[in-house]
Amino acid sequence: MSKETVTIIDNRTGKEVELPIVQATQGPSVVDIGKFYQETGLFTYDPGFLSTASCDSAITFIDGDNGILQYGGYSIESLAEQSNFLEVSYLMLNGELPEKEQQEKFSDIITHHSMLNESLRNFFHSFYHDAHPMAIMVGVVGSLSAFYHDSTDINNPRHREIAAHRMIAKMPTIAAGCYKHSIGEPLVYPDNNLSYTGNLLKMMFSVPCEEYQVDPVAEKALDLIFILHVDHEQNASTSTVRLAGSSRANPFACIASGIAALWGPAHGGANEAVLSVLEEIGDVSQIPKYIARAKDKTDSFRLMGFGHRVYKNYDPRAKIIRTMCHEVLEKLGHRHDPLFELALRLEEIALKDEYFIKRKLYPNVDFYSGLIYKALGIPTNMFTVMFAIARTVGWVAHWTEMISAEGQRIGRPRQLYVGPKQRDYISIDKR
Ligand code: SDX
């Protein structure tokens, strides 16, 4: 079949530029504009990347109009129901679900890479006591690039694999360290007898002076929430990791750049912002006032946890978390959490409002997740840290996919220049 193409007619010259269409296995295909500038002398322009694919990837598929999310071809619903975080992590790194022996080996590797270099404990303590845990995390993860000189030759596939395993394994230990430092308690070492999320809970909530028992409800809830946060195609933080990685920078430094991008309230920082909004609204009677504020263009207030660049339908992750909220809050004895009741009413009212319907603004993954974290005793300023633990798997998977791609080149976008034209220098005494 002849290659499908798109023809652009430059009305300034009448010249026709034929551009090849590259087929997707699912979802929109793309038009390859690689030669567009050379043929027309024009750059394409798409500041928010609303219509721009920055790469090809086999990792995650999203259909925003139909609210579909798949990791490696498996629906998020099936993985949430039947899989676990480490098995999904294996899938993201290898493109296939593991066989039993592969899963056991992978789990053992991750368990045995969970400790940090002892000198990093001092680094935690060098932060001011009221540093935001995300500020500590971005610093500590970046500092991992000061270690492991024996295994960061990113041209070596084995080194890339070790760096990936180390990053995934150490995030819970680093996250717990951020939390412990922020509450002035001693850092807790990993326990190799525990699961990935059980270890995280123990490192966060145990103290040296008494025994700690992992709550299986909390352990399972965290594992499920982490599955839902593992990856999401070319979101802002993943694109940041890819761009940083395209210069062939140290992998740990690239992951730190992803943490920095995730922190923003328009992205992963939204889960923390949702709790602040719910606490500010306070009562169901105040919902109409805040819905009106969210619609008022003169008011910077936004209904955090609502809206999404890609989903113009319900975020499938939000649906799963909302259902889970009921179960977890019930099991943890927070059945009548007023903030959860408030969130349900807020969603109900917003989804009936013309403003939200017209703009296809639905709850996203961040709308309910914070309510579960809160019920697990995790403080609001740690919510995005939790998001970062899970998303590290996606960042590492995309970094590996990009670095190992044939003909990988540095990402270097161009611009529409709107600054002053060339002008002569004027000495200061003549200005
Ligand atoms: C995540 O990209 C990913 O995949 C991200 C993520 C992942 O897993 O990596 O899914 C995780 O980041 C989820 C999103 C978390 N952010 C929030 O919940 C913050 C609140 N939502 C927004 O700020 C906004 O919806 C974004 C940032 C999520 C999307 O922004 P867009 O696509 O640039 O859309 P926009 O800001 O241009 O909004 C379109 C319209 C505007 O109104 P009009 O100018 O057309 O009149 O919708 C309005 C916006 O004002 N709007 C909102 C709103 N979100 C959009 N109005 C009120 N409240 C909101 N939350």
Coordinates of all heavy atoms in Angstrom, one line a residue, residues 175-250:
A175 N 11.8 8.6 50.2 CA 10.5 9.2 50.6 C 10.3 9.2 52.1 O 10.0 10.2 52.7 CB 9.3 8.5 49.8
A176 N 10.6 8.0 52.6 CA 10.4 7.9 54.1 C 11.4 8.8 54.8 O 11.1 9.4 55.8 CB 10.6 6.4 54.5
G177 N 12.6 8.9 54.2 CA 13.6 9.8 54.9 C 13.2 11.2 54.8 O 13.3 12.0 55.8
C178 N 12.5 11.6 53.7 CA 12.0 13.0 53.6 C 11.0 13.3 54.7 O 11.0 14.3 55.4 CB 11.3 13.2 52.3 SG 12.4 13.1 50.9
Y179 N 10.1 12.3 54.9 CA 9.1 12.4 55.9 C 9.7 12.4 57.3 O 9.4 13.3 58.1 CB 8.1 11.2 55.8 CG 7.0 11.2 56.9 CD1 6.2 12.3 57.1 CD2 6.9 10.1 57.8 CE1 5.2 12.3 58.1 CE2 6.0 10.1 58.8 CZ 5.1 11.2 59.0 OH 4.2 11.2 60.0
K180 N 10.5 11.5 57.6 CA 11.1 11.4 59.0 C 11.9 12.7 59.3 O 11.8 13.2 60.4 CB 12.0 10.2 59.1 CG 11.3 8.8 59.2 CD 10.4 8.8 60.5 CE 10.1 7.3 60.8 NZ 9.1 7.3 61.9
H181 N 12.6 13.2 58.3 CA 13.4 14.4 58.6 C 12.4 15.6 58.9 O 12.6 16.3 59.9 CB 14.3 14.8 57.4 CG 14.9 16.2 57.7 ND1 15.9 16.3 58.6 CD2 14.7 17.4 57.2 CE1 16.3 17.6 58.6 NE2 15.5 18.3 57.8
S182 N 11.3 15.6 58.2 CA 10.3 16.7 58.4 C 9.6 16.7 59.7 O 9.0 17.7 60.1 CB 9.3 16.7 57.2 OG 8.4 15.6 57.3
I183 N 9.6 15.5 60.3 CA 8.9 15.4 61.7 C 10.0 15.2 62.8 O 9.6 14.9 63.9 CB 7.9 14.3 61.7 CG1 8.5 12.9 61.4 CG2 6.7 14.6 60.8 CD1 7.5 11.7 61.6
G184 N 11.2 15.3 62.4 CA 12.3 15.2 63.5 C 12.5 13.9 64.1 O 13.0 13.8 65.2
E185 N 12.1 12.8 63.4 CA 12.3 11.5 63.9 C 13.5 10.8 63.2 O 13.8 11.2 62.0 CB 11.0 10.6 63.7 CG 9.9 11.0 64.7 CD 8.7 10.0 64.5 OE1 8.8 9.1 63.7 OE2 7.7 10.3 65.2
P186 N 14.1 9.8 63.8 CA 15.2 9.1 63.1 C 14.8 8.3 61.9 O 13.7 7.8 61.8 CB 15.7 8.1 64.2 CG 14.6 7.9 65.2 CD 13.8 9.2 65.1
L187 N 15.7 8.3 60.9 CA 15.4 7.6 59.7 C 15.4 6.1 60.0 O 16.1 5.6 60.9 CB 16.5 7.9 58.6 CG 16.3 9.1 57.7 CD1 16.2 10.4 58.6 CD2 17.4 9.3 56.7
V188 N 14.5 5.4 59.3 CA 14.4 3.9 59.6 C 15.0 3.1 58.4 O 14.7 3.5 57.2 CB 12.9 3.6 59.8 CG1 12.7 2.1 59.9 CG2 12.3 4.3 60.9
Y189 N 15.8 2.1 58.7 CA 16.3 1.3 57.6 C 15.3 0.4 56.9 O 14.3 0.0 57.6 CB 17.5 0.4 58.1 CG 18.7 1.2 58.5 CD1 19.0 1.5 59.8 CD2 19.6 1.6 57.5 CE1 20.1 2.3 60.2 CE2 20.8 2.3 57.8 CZ 21.0 2.7 59.2 OH 22.1 3.4 59.5
P190 N 15.4 0.1 55.7 CA 14.5 -0.9 55.0 C 14.5 -2.2 55.8 O 15.5 -2.6 56.4 CB 15.0 -1.0 53.6 CG 16.0 0.1 53.4 CD 16.5 0.5 54.8
D191 N 13.4 -3.0 55.6 CA 13.3 -4.3 56.2 C 13.0 -5.3 55.0 O 12.0 -5.2 54.4 CB 12.1 -4.3 57.2 CG 11.9 -5.7 57.8 OD1 12.4 -6.7 57.2 OD2 11.2 -5.8 58.8
N192 N 14.0 -6.1 54.7 CA 13.9 -7.0 53.5 C 12.9 -8.1 53.7 O 12.6 -8.8 52.7 CB 15.3 -7.6 53.3 CG 16.3 -6.6 52.7 OD1 15.9 -5.5 52.5 ND2 17.6 -7.0 52.5
N193 N 12.3 -8.2 54.8 CA 11.2 -9.2 55.0 C 9.8 -8.7 54.5 O 8.8 -9.4 54.5 CB 11.1 -9.6 56.4 CG 12.4 -10.3 56.9 OD1 12.9 -11.1 56.2 ND2 13.0 -9.7 58.0
L194 N 9.8 -7.4 54.2 CA 8.5 -6.7 53.9 C 8.3 -6.5 52.4 O 9.3 -6.5 51.6 CB 8.4 -5.4 54.6 CG 8.3 -5.5 56.2 CD1 8.3 -4.1 56.8 CD2 7.1 -6.3 56.6
S195 N 7.0 -6.3 52.0 CA 6.7 -6.0 50.6 C 7.2 -4.5 50.3 O 7.5 -3.8 51.2 CB 5.2 -6.1 50.4 OG 4.6 -5.0 51.1
Y196 N 7.1 -4.1 49.0 CA 7.5 -2.8 48.6 C 6.8 -1.7 49.4 O 7.3 -0.8 50.0 CB 7.2 -2.6 47.1 CG 7.9 -1.4 46.5 CD1 9.2 -1.4 46.1 CD2 7.1 -0.3 46.3 CE1 9.7 -0.3 45.4 CE2 7.6 0.8 45.7 CZ 9.0 0.8 45.3 OH 9.5 1.9 44.7
T197 N 5.4 -1.9 49.5 CA 4.6 -0.9 50.2 C 4.6 -1.1 51.7 O 4.6 -0.1 52.5 CB 3.2 -0.8 49.7 OG1 2.7 -2.2 49.7 CG2 3.1 -0.3 48.3
G198 N 4.8 -2.3 52.1 CA 4.9 -2.6 53.6 C 6.1 -2.0 54.1 O 6.1 -1.4 55.2
N199 N 7.2 -2.1 53.4 CA 8.5 -1.5 53.8 C 8.4 0.0 53.9 O 8.8 0.6 54.8 CB 9.5 -1.8 52.7 CG 10.9 -2.0 53.2 OD1 11.2 -1.8 54.4 ND2 11.8 -2.3 52.4
L200 N 7.7 0.6 52.9 CA 7.5 2.1 52.9 C 6.7 2.5 54.2 O 7.1 3.4 54.9 CB 6.7 2.5 51.7 CG 6.3 4.0 51.6 CD1 7.5 4.9 51.7 CD2 5.4 4.3 50.4
L201 N 5.7 1.8 54.5 CA 4.9 2.1 55.7 C 5.7 2.0 56.9 O 5.7 2.9 57.8 CB 3.6 1.2 55.7 CG 2.6 1.5 54.7 CD1 1.6 0.3 54.6 CD2 1.8 2.8 55.0
K202 N 6.5 0.9 57.0 CA 7.3 0.8 58.2 C 8.4 1.8 58.3 O 8.6 2.4 59.4 CB 8.0 -0.6 58.2 CG 8.8 -0.9 59.5 CD 9.4 -2.3 59.6 CE 10.2 -2.4 60.9 NZ 10.9 -3.7 60.9
M203 N 9.0 2.2 57.2 CA 10.1 3.2 57.2 C 9.5 4.6 57.5 O 10.2 5.5 58.1 CB 10.8 3.3 55.9 CG 11.7 2.0 55.7 SD 12.8 2.2 54.2 CE 11.6 2.0 52.9
M204 N 8.2 4.8 57.2 CA 7.6 6.1 57.5 C 7.0 6.1 59.0 O 7.2 7.1 59.6 CB 6.4 6.3 56.6 CG 6.8 6.7 55.2 SD 5.4 7.1 54.1 CE 4.8 8.7 54.8
F205 N 6.4 5.0 59.4 CA 5.6 5.2 60.6 C 6.2 4.4 61.8 O 5.7 4.5 62.9 CB 4.2 4.7 60.4 CG 3.5 5.6 59.4 CD1 3.0 5.1 58.2 CD2 3.4 7.0 59.6 CE1 2.3 5.9 57.3 CE2 2.7 7.8 58.7 CZ 2.2 7.2 57.5
S206 N 7.3 3.6 61.6 CA 7.8 2.9 62.8 C 8.8 3.8 63.6 O 9.3 4.7 63.0 CB 8.5 1.6 62.4 OG 9.7 1.9 61.8
V207 N 8.9 3.6 64.9 CA 9.9 4.3 65.7 C 10.7 3.3 66.5 O 10.2 2.2 66.7 CB 9.2 5.3 66.7 CG1 8.6 6.5 66.0 CG2 8.1 4.5 67.5
P208 N 12.0 3.6 66.8 CA 12.9 2.6 67.4 C 12.4 2.1 68.7 O 12.7 1.0 69.1 CB 14.2 3.4 67.6 CG 14.0 4.6 66.7 CD 12.6 4.9 66.6
C209 N 11.4 2.8 69.4 CA 11.1 2.4 70.7 C 9.9 1.4 70.8 O 9.5 1.1 71.9 CB 10.8 3.6 71.6 SG 10.2 5.0 70.7
E210 N 9.4 1.0 69.7 CA 8.3 0.0 69.8 C 8.2 -0.8 68.5 O 8.6 -0.4 67.4 CB 7.0 0.7 70.2 CG 6.5 1.7 69.2 CD 5.3 2.5 69.7 OE1 5.2 2.7 70.9 OE2 4.4 2.8 68.9
E211 N 7.5 -2.0 68.6 CA 7.3 -2.8 67.5 C 6.3 -2.1 66.5 O 5.5 -1.3 66.9 CB 6.6 -4.1 68.0 CG 7.6 -5.1 68.6 CD 8.7 -5.5 67.6 OE1 8.4 -6.0 66.5 OE2 9.9 -5.3 68.0
Y212 N 6.5 -2.4 65.2 CA 5.5 -1.9 64.2 C 4.9 -3.0 63.4 O 5.7 -3.9 63.0 CB 6.3 -0.9 63.3 CG 5.3 -0.3 62.2 CD1 4.5 0.7 62.5 CD2 5.3 -0.9 61.0 CE1 3.6 1.3 61.5 CE2 4.4 -0.4 60.0 CZ 3.6 0.7 60.3 OH 2.8 1.2 59.3
Q213 N 3.6 -3.0 63.3 CA 2.9 -4.0 62.5 C 2.4 -3.3 61.3 O 1.6 -2.4 61.4 CB 1.8 -4.6 63.4 CG 1.3 -6.0 62.9 CD 2.5 -7.0 62.9 OE1 3.3 -7.1 63.9 NE2 2.6 -7.8 61.9
V214 N 2.7 -3.8 60.1 CA 2.2 -3.2 58.8 C 0.7 -3.6 58.7 O 0.3 -4.8 58.9 CB 2.9 -3.8 57.6 CG1 2.2 -3.3 56.3 CG2 4.4 -3.4 57.6
D215 N -0.2 -2.6 58.5 CA -1.6 -2.8 58.3 C -1.8 -3.3 56.9 O -1.6 -2.6 55.9 CB -2.3 -1.5 58.5 CG -3.8 -1.7 58.3 OD1 -4.2 -2.7 57.6 OD2 -4.6 -0.8 58.7
P216 N -2.3 -4.6 56.7 CA -2.5 -5.1 55.3 C -3.4 -4.3 54.5 O -3.3 -4.2 53.2 CB -3.0 -6.5 55.6 CG -3.4 -6.6 57.0 CD -2.7 -5.5 57.7
V217 N -4.4 -3.6 55.1 CA -5.3 -2.8 54.3 C -4.6 -1.6 53.7 O -4.6 -1.3 52.5 CB -6.5 -2.2 55.2 CG1 -7.3 -1.2 54.4 CG2 -7.3 -3.4 55.7
A218 N -3.7 -1.0 54.5 CA -2.9 0.2 54.1 C -1.9 -0.3 53.0 O -1.7 0.3 52.0 CB -2.2 0.8 55.2
E219 N -1.3 -1.5 53.3 CA -0.3 -2.0 52.3 C -0.9 -2.3 50.9 O -0.3 -1.9 49.9 CB 0.2 -3.3 52.9 CG 1.3 -4.0 52.2 CD 1.8 -5.3 52.9 OE1 1.0 -5.9 53.7 OE2 2.9 -5.8 52.6
K220 N -2.1 -2.9 50.9 CA -2.8 -3.2 49.7 C -3.3 -1.9 49.0 O -3.1 -1.7 47.8 CB -4.0 -4.1 50.0 CG -4.8 -4.4 48.7 CD -4.2 -5.5 47.8 CE -5.1 -5.7 46.6 NZ -4.4 -5.3 45.3
A221 N -3.8 -1.0 49.8 CA -4.3 0.3 49.2 C -3.2 1.1 48.5 O -3.3 1.6 47.4 CB -4.9 1.1 50.3
L222 N -2.0 1.1 49.2 CA -0.9 1.8 48.6 C -0.4 1.1 47.3 O -0.1 1.8 46.3 CB 0.3 1.9 49.6 CG 0.4 3.1 50.5 CD1 1.7 3.1 51.3 CD2 0.3 4.4 49.7
D223 N -0.4 -0.2 47.3 CA 0.1 -0.9 46.2 C -0.8 -0.6 45.0 O -0.4 -0.3 43.9 CB 0.0 -2.4 46.5 CG 0.8 -3.2 45.4 OD1 0.2 -3.6 44.4 OD2 2.0 -3.4 45.5
L224 N -2.2 -0.5 45.2 CA -3.1 -0.2 44.1 C -2.9 1.2 43.7 O -2.9 1.5 42.5 CB -4.5 -0.5 44.6 CG -5.6 -0.1 43.6 CD1 -5.4 -0.6 42.2 CD2 -7.0 -0.5 44.1
I225 N -2.8 2.1 44.6 CA -2.7 3.5 44.2 C -1.4 3.7 43.4 O -1.4 4.4 42.4 CB -2.6 4.5 45.4 CG1 -4.0 4.6 46.0 CG2 -2.1 5.8 45.1 CD1 -4.2 5.8 47.0
F226 N -0.3 3.0 43.8 CA 0.9 3.1 43.0 C 0.8 2.5 41.6 O 1.3 3.1 40.7 CB 2.0 2.4 43.8 CG 2.6 3.1 45.0 CD1 2.1 4.4 45.3 CD2 3.7 2.6 45.7 CE1 2.6 5.1 46.4 CE2 4.2 3.3 46.8 CZ 3.7 4.5 47.1
I227 N 0.0 1.5 41.4 CA -0.2 0.9 40.1 C -0.8 2.0 39.2 O -0.4 2.3 38.1 CB -1.1 -0.3 40.1 CG1 -0.4 -1.5 40.7 CG2 -1.6 -0.6 38.7 CD1 -1.3 -2.7 40.9
L228 N -1.8 2.7 39.8 CA -2.5 3.8 39.0 C -1.7 5.0 38.7 O -2.0 5.7 37.7 CB -3.8 4.2 39.8 CG -4.8 3.1 40.2 CD1 -5.9 3.7 41.1 CD2 -5.4 2.5 38.9
H229 N -0.6 5.2 39.4 CA 0.3 6.3 39.2 C 1.6 6.0 38.4 O 2.4 6.9 38.2 CB 0.6 7.0 40.5 CG -0.5 7.7 41.2 ND1 -1.5 7.1 41.8 CD2 -0.7 9.1 41.2 CE1 -2.3 8.1 42.3 NE2 -1.9 9.2 41.9
V230 N 1.7 4.8 38.0 CA 3.0 4.3 37.4 C 3.4 5.2 36.2 O 4.5 5.6 36.0 CB 3.0 2.8 37.1 CG1 4.0 2.5 36.0 CG2 3.2 2.0 38.4
D231 N 2.5 5.3 35.3 CA 2.9 6.0 34.0 C 1.7 6.7 33.4 O 0.5 6.3 33.7 CB 3.5 5.0 33.0 CG 4.2 5.8 31.9 OD1 4.9 6.7 32.1 OD2 3.9 5.4 30.7
H232 N 2.0 7.6 32.5 CA 0.8 8.3 31.8 C 1.3 8.9 30.5 O 1.0 10.1 30.2 CB 0.1 9.3 32.7 CG -1.3 9.4 32.5 ND1 -2.0 10.5 32.1 CD2 -2.3 8.4 32.5 CE1 -3.3 10.2 32.0 NE2 -3.5 9.0 32.2
E233 N 2.0 8.1 29.7 CA 2.5 8.6 28.4 C 3.4 9.8 28.5 O 4.2 9.9 29.4 CB 1.2 8.9 27.6 CG 1.3 9.0 26.1 CD 0.3 10.0 25.6 OE1 0.5 11.2 25.9 OE2 -0.6 9.7 24.9
Q234 N 3.2 10.8 27.7 CA 4.2 11.9 27.7 C 3.7 13.1 28.5 O 3.7 14.3 28.0 CB 4.4 12.3 26.2 CG 4.9 11.2 25.3 CD 6.1 10.4 25.9 OE1 7.0 11.0 26.4 NE2 6.0 9.1 25.7
N235 N 3.3 12.9 29.7 CA 3.0 14.0 30.6 C 4.2 14.9 30.9 O 5.3 14.6 30.5 CB 2.4 13.4 31.9 CG 3.4 12.5 32.6 OD1 4.3 13.0 33.3 ND2 3.4 11.2 32.3
A236 N 3.9 16.0 31.6 CA 5.0 17.0 31.7 C 6.2 16.5 32.4 O 7.4 16.7 31.9 CB 4.4 18.2 32.5
S237 N 6.1 15.7 33.4 CA 7.3 15.2 34.1 C 8.1 14.2 33.3 O 9.3 14.2 33.2 CB 7.0 14.7 35.5 OG 6.0 13.7 35.4
T238 N 7.3 13.3 32.6 CA 8.0 12.3 31.8 C 8.7 12.9 30.6 O 9.8 12.5 30.2 CB 6.9 11.2 31.3 OG1 6.3 10.7 32.5 CG2 7.5 10.2 30.5
S239 N 8.0 13.9 30.0 CA 8.7 14.6 28.9 C 9.9 15.3 29.4 O 10.9 15.4 28.6 CB 7.7 15.6 28.3 OG 6.5 15.0 27.8
T240 N 9.9 15.8 30.6 CA 11.1 16.5 31.2 C 12.2 15.5 31.3 O 13.4 15.8 31.0 CB 10.7 17.1 32.6 OG1 9.7 18.0 32.4 CG2 11.9 17.8 33.2
V241 N 11.9 14.3 31.8 CA 12.9 13.2 32.0 C 13.5 12.9 30.6 O 14.7 12.7 30.4 CB 12.4 12.0 32.7 CG1 13.3 10.8 32.7 CG2 12.0 12.3 34.1
R242 N 12.6 12.7 29.6 CA 13.1 12.4 28.3 C 14.0 13.5 27.7 O 15.1 13.2 27.1 CB 11.9 12.2 27.3 CG 11.3 10.8 27.4 CD 10.1 10.6 26.4 NE 9.7 9.2 26.4 CZ 10.0 8.3 25.4 NH1 10.9 8.7 24.5 NH2 9.6 7.1 25.4
L243 N 13.6 14.8 27.9 CA 14.4 15.8 27.3 C 15.8 15.9 28.1 O 16.8 16.0 27.4 CB 13.7 17.2 27.4 CG 14.2 18.3 26.6 CD1 14.3 17.9 25.1 CD2 13.3 19.6 26.7
A244 N 15.8 15.8 29.4 CA 17.0 15.8 30.2 C 17.9 14.6 29.7 O 19.1 14.7 29.5 CB 16.7 15.7 31.6
G245 N 17.2 13.5 29.6 CA 18.0 12.2 29.2 C 18.5 12.3 27.8 O 19.5 11.7 27.5
S246 N 17.9 13.1 26.9 CA 18.3 13.1 25.5 C 19.7 13.7 25.4 O 20.4 13.5 24.4 CB 17.3 13.9 24.7 OG 17.5 15.3 24.9
S247 N 20.2 14.5 26.4 CA 21.5 15.0 26.3 C 22.5 14.0 26.9 O 23.7 14.3 27.0 CB 21.6 16.3 27.2 OG 21.6 16.0 28.6
R248 N 22.0 12.8 27.3 CA 22.8 11.7 27.8 C 23.3 12.0 29.2 O 24.4 11.6 29.5 CB 23.8 11.2 26.8 CG 23.2 10.9 25.4 CD 24.1 10.4 24.4 NE 24.3 8.9 24.6 CZ 23.3 8.0 24.3 NH1 22.2 8.4 23.8 NH2 23.6 6.7 24.4
A249 N 22.5 12.8 30.0 CA 22.9 13.1 31.3 C 22.8 11.9 32.3 O 22.2 10.9 31.9 CB 22.0 14.3 31.8
N250 N 23.4 12.1 33.5 CA 23.3 11.0 34.5 C 21.9 10.6 34.8 O 21.0 11.5 34.9 CB 24.0 11.5 35.8 CG 23.9 10.5 36.9 OD1 22.8 10.3 37.4 ND2 25.1 9.9 37.2

